[in-house]
Amino acid sequence: CGQIDIGNAATPMTARMAGGVPQANGTMMPEPTMNADHVGDAVVYMANLPPDANVHTITVMASKMPFVGRG
């Protein structure tokens, strides 16, 4: 069993981030997104590991995201 945490993959749900979203300090700021294909690549990597290996947890996120683990 493995867990994948995804940060700011570019989808219709994250499209508004380019115009600015609320930040922890109360300001509005645009946030970077990444191609959602990178998430798929991580899933394929995890699925192709042999039975004696496991990725317990992995975080795939856009570079320069202002925070890790919020949501």
Side-chain angles (χ1 to χ4, degrees):
C1 178
Q3 173 181 318
I4 185 165
D5 296 312
I6 304 164
N8 290 8
T11 67
M13 188 185 320
T14 60
R16 68 186 182 92
M17 292 182 168
V21 291
Q23 302 298 306
N25 65 2
T27 63
M28 294 286 283
M29 185 175 82
E31 289 195 15
T33 58
M34 66 173 174
N35 187 313
D37 290 347
H38 301 315
V39 178
D41 293 341
V43 171
V44 170
Y45 167 73
M46 293 169 73
N48 283 315
L49 287 173
D52 63 335
N54 183 44
V55 173
H56 178 253
T57 183
I58 187 171
T59 301
V60 181
M61 58 187 270
S63 296
K64 300 184 181 180
M65 275 182 57
F67 263 129
V68 175
R70 74 169 171 187

